[in-house]
Amino acid sequence: MKYIDEFRQREAAQGILKKIYALSGKKVNIMEICGTHTHAISKYGIRNSLPSHIRLISGPGCPVCVTSAGDINRIIEFCKREKNTIVATFGDMMRVPGTESSLQEQKAMGKDIRVVYSPLGALDIALANPGKEIILYAVGFETTVPTVAATILLAKEKGIQNFSAFTLHKLTPPAMKALLDSGELDLHGFLCPGHVTAIIGANAYKFLAEEYQAPCVVAGFEPLDAIHGLYMLIKQLKEDRVEIEIQYKRVVTWEGNTRAQRILEQVFEICDSNWRGIGKIPMSGLRLKNEFADFDAEKKFVIEAGIDEEPQGCACGDVLKGLLTPNQCPLFGKICTPESPVGPCMVSFEGTCAAYYTYGISQPILTG
Amino acid sequence: MCLGIPGRILEITGAMAKIDVAGTRKEASLMLMENVSVGDYVIVHAGFAIQKVNEKEASETLKIVKDIIGDVSS
């Protein structure tokens, strides 16, 4: 598999890891922002392979996990009440527990809720069911937003009137800024998300270097990418440099995908957004522009506010902020498992708790 | 959720493409792309091609990795 196999060479990964050991220095805390990185770092045993003075902290990089309990409850209550609708959503959203139920439980009780792989799948459902209203329940960061925006443009172009979207999209750089502003974490650098940056461009992180002196490296998701990205970041820290660097140059540019950006900006506008564990972050969300009101489920239907309560004893909020590791949550692995998740971080394969639970005993690459 | 897989464009029909993703044929939209042709590799995410894969840069990254490993002073 081209562009995959070359970046999974074990010997090369071991070689870079040895160089990381050779760069040994003071204690550093590096945050990986993206859930796909969290998953890869756990899956390939990278966390356990690093020298003990390099600590990887998982950030709020799983869109399912950062969706507030209130927003999860809103769609569940909506499904309970509405009769002539089909809700289409991405797979991970099905199992996220709300306060009293989940979409999966609603489906089991007979509600028409379907998993789509692409937002375009919701359009197909709309065309096949002209007598029903189809609501795309969409979460996701900047990687996913242009795909939803393009779908809405297509719905408008084709005059599909029984389709709308309930969107809870969030933006990555404002969350990074909020974490640094909180002062709760002692962070020395960021491993930045490859596919988010493929869209927004690496220039989006310049403020982190200029205003916060936080070095950043945008890395890909294969094990060699992640380890190479960490090497670049650790080298910066060792040399007291503060730069934005791109490891994942085969996909990421400084400007990003300008066409995708234009499509995103045509359909969405920036707004404040509530993040699980963090609360309201100014200008960190997106909402549909007024001219797309016909496709805005929140304008087309009544989607009431939901109870914004964390499950009892669940530490997902602090895990998302990087303040706790999953095994510091009293529920982890006991009451809360991937088979029976209490909090969202145990649901998605990108969730920090799910990654720790599944791969927590991974052997380090160097010795495994 | 931000998972993206590289695939090779096999066929383009309007704004849609047939793409070979790790041996599986998938349909993906090219609405977010400019100037792509059959044979190009793209990252596929949620049914859309979101960015081209640059072959020259991929080779360059592998060369840099090799240089780091081989450089006794780094």
Side-chain angles (χ1 to χ4, degrees):
Chain A
M1 295 181 289
K2 197 173 177 184
Y3 302 124
I4 295 177
D5 294 345
E6 313 92 297
F7 295 92
R8 289 186 183 177
Q9 298 174 66
R10 188 185 169 93
E11 294 74 18
Q14 287 173 324
I16 297 278
L17 273 168
K18 282 178 183 154
K19 293 294 174 183
I20 289 175
Y21 273 80
L23 284 173
S24 67
K26 57 182 188 294
K27 275 190 178 234
V28 290
N29 295 326
I30 291 168
M31 178 172 272
E32 90 271 2
I33 280 292
C34 182
T36 313
H37 271 145
T38 299
H39 181 256
I41 282 165
S42 298
K43 180 179 177 181
Y44 295 107
I46 295 169
R47 201 180 307 277
N48 305 343
S49 298
L50 294 168
S52 57
H53 67 277
I54 297 165
R55 185 166 162 242
L56 293 183
I57 299 170
S58 303
C62 152
V64 175
C65 310
V66 297
T67 302
S68 71
D71 282 334
I72 302 274
N73 284 324
R74 287 173 80 196
I75 193 73
I76 292 167
E77 290 306 312
F78 174 80
C79 286
K80 275 184 186 174
R81 199 187 62 234
E82 291 293 326
K83 291 196 168 42
N84 197 40
T85 60
I86 300 172
V87 169
T89 192
F90 304 125
D92 284 343
M93 294 311 290
M94 293 294 282
R95 297 175 60 239
V96 180
T99 303
E100 290 168 6
S101 176
S102 68
L103 288 178
Q104 189 165 270
E105 284 168 15
Q106 290 305 310
K107 187 177 170 72
M109 286 191 264
K111 299 293 178 184
D112 199 343
I113 303 164
R114 305 185 192 183
V115 170
V116 287
Y117 146 78
S118 165
L120 293 171
L123 279 192
D124 294 339
I125 296 169
L127 289 168
N129 296 273
K132 294 209 163 188
E133 282 289 342
I134 282 69
I135 292 104
L136 172 67
Y137 174 43
V139 301
F141 296 120
E142 295 92 330
T143 320
T144 310
V145 185
T147 71
V148 174
T151 302
I152 287 165
L153 288 177
L154 213 53
K156 191 171 185 171
E157 185 193 313
K158 291 184 172 181
I160 301 171
Q161 292 177 358
N162 63 328
F163 166 84
S164 59
F166 175 37
T167 64
L168 297 163
H169 294 305
K170 290 178 166 55
L171 301 170
T172 308
M176 296 162 85
K177 182 180 185 307
L179 284 172
L180 291 167
D181 285 340
S182 77
E184 288 177 295
L185 284 166
D186 182 23
L187 286 179
H188 301 97
F190 287 104
L191 192 72
C192 296
H195 292 145
V196 160
T197 318
I199 301 293
I200 66 175
N203 282 330
Y205 306 115
K206 285 218 160 143
F207 78 96
L208 291 165
E210 289 162 6
E211 295 170 36
Y212 293 89
Q213 286 69 54
C216 296
V217 174
V218 183
F221 300 101
E222 297 305 332
L224 189 53
D225 287 318
I227 290 166
H228 181 205
L230 287 167
Y231 168 82
M232 289 165 73
L233 200 49
I234 292 155
K235 199 163 193 291
Q236 273 201 57
L237 291 164
K238 177 82 176 171
E239 295 168 0
D240 285 326
R241 286 184 291 119
V242 178
E243 292 171 25
I244 309 301
E245 291 180 303
I246 307 172
Q247 179 279 332
Y248 196 31
K249 282 190 175 173
R250 63 188 183 276
V251 172
V252 172
T253 61
W254 292 101
E255 299 75 28
N257 181 336
T258 51
R259 181 181 171 92
Q261 289 167 23
R262 281 197 306 274
I263 286 172
L264 185 157
E265 287 159 13
Q266 191 180 339
V267 176
F268 287 97
E269 61 191 12
I270 291 176
C271 61
D272 297 345
S273 181
N274 272 322
W275 295 58
R276 188 186 290 256
I278 301 172
K280 186 196 271 189
I281 303 179
M283 313 295 273
S284 68
L286 292 163
R287 65 179 170 222
L288 286 164
K289 286 183 171 175
N290 258 337
E291 64 191 274
F292 295 96
D294 291 350
F295 300 96
D296 188 341
E298 289 187 87
K299 293 199 169 103
K300 218 170 163 179
F301 305 95
V302 177
I303 305 179
E304 289 159 348
I307 309 159
D308 201 4
E309 266 176 18
E310 293 303 320
Q312 213 170 359
C314 169
C316 275
D318 284 340
V319 168
L320 287 166
K321 283 189 286 191
L323 295 173
L324 290 180
T325 54
N327 47 352
Q328 291 173 300
C329 171
L331 309 186
F332 178 76
K334 300 180 184 82
I335 299 164
C336 183
T337 64
E339 293 72 37
S340 173
V342 174
C345 297
M346 192 59 98
V347 174
S348 169
F349 88 98
E350 293 187 0
T352 308
C353 298
Y356 270 67
Y357 184 91
T358 309
Y359 304 112
I361 51 168
S362 280
Q363 286 298 309
I365 287 176
L366 275 177
T367 56
Chain B
M1 279 289 297
C2 291
L3 191 66
I5 305 170
R8 189 168 61 90
I9 298 179
L10 302 170
E11 202 181 301
I12 297 175
T13 312
M16 294 299 287
K18 280 199 173 67
I19 301 180
D20 177 351
V21 180
T24 309
R25 282 187 170 217
K26 281 190 184 290
E27 282 241 315
S29 169
L30 299 177
M31 269 180 86
L32 305 176
M33 300 299 300
E34 276 166 348
N35 310 320
V36 284
S37 328
V38 169
D40 285 348
Y41 275 80
V42 289
I43 297 290
V44 180
H45 167 77
F48 285 77
I50 60 160
Q51 189 59 287
K52 253 199 247 195
V53 184
N54 183 317
E55 184 155 13
K56 196 167 144 289
E57 291 290 359
S59 306
E60 185 60 26
T61 301
L62 290 167
K63 188 182 169 300
I64 289 167
V65 164
K66 214 170 156 183
D67 289 348
I68 293 167
I69 296 166
D71 179 6
V72 286
S73 67
S74 69

